[in-house]
Amino acid sequence: MAEVTVSELFQEYQADFERLCREIDERLESAKADDNSNLVTEAERRIGKADQAVKQMEMEARSMPPESRTKLQMMIRQCRSDIGERRKAVDAAKEAAARRAL
C-alpha cells in the first residue's frame, strides 16, 4: 500500500486535535477528583475546539489526491468518534455535578 502523504497543515490540525483530546481527558479526570464544574465547562469548550480542528482536517483532506483521501477520511471518522465519546463523558460529568448540587 502506498504511503499516505499528509500536508503540513493537516498534521498541524491533527496535532491540535490530539492535544485538545488530552486536555479534555485531563479536565474530566480533575473534575471527578475535585468536584469542579468549571473544569467540565472547560472540557466542553475544548470539545468545540477539537470539533473545529476536525472540520479543518476535513477541508484539508478534500484538497489531497484521491489515493490519500480515503486513508485520511478513515482518520477523520476516528476523530469524530473520539469527540463523540468525550462529549458523552462531558454530559455524564455535567449530570453528576447537577446531582451533587441538589
Side-chain angles (χ1 to χ4, degrees):
M1 185 170 187
E3 182 68 27
V4 175
T5 56
V6 181
S7 73
E8 287 183 33
L9 200 51
F10 186 93
Q11 290 175 339
E12 287 178 27
Y13 293 135
Q14 186 177 20
D16 231 16
F17 172 79
E18 291 168 358
R19 176 186 54 80
L20 287 163
C21 284
R22 282 191 304 275
E23 290 176 4
I24 292 165
D25 294 342
E26 290 167 4
R27 299 298 187 286
L28 289 174
E29 283 302 312
S30 295
K32 286 180 191 174
D34 295 343
D35 193 25
N36 186 339
S37 62
N38 289 337
L39 291 171
V40 175
T41 303
E42 287 179 29
E44 195 168 27
R45 269 192 233 114
R46 281 173 173 70
I47 285 175
K49 290 179 180 182
D51 193 43
Q52 194 62 34
V54 172
K55 287 177 184 176
Q56 295 294 331
M57 289 165 63
E58 288 172 334
M59 286 180 12
E60 190 64 20
R62 282 188 221 121
S63 70
M64 299 298 290
E67 60 274 2
S68 299
R69 206 174 301 151
T70 303
K71 177 86 173 183
L72 296 177
Q73 288 171 338
M74 288 175 26
M75 291 168 61
I76 291 167
R77 272 195 296 279
Q78 182 59 50
C79 291
R80 286 262 175 239
S81 174
D82 292 348
I83 288 174
E85 290 172 16
R86 285 171 175 82
R87 193 168 273 131
K88 287 178 187 175
V90 165
D91 290 343
K94 285 169 58 176
E95 287 177 19
R99 282 193 299 273
R100 285 190 299 270
L102 295 176

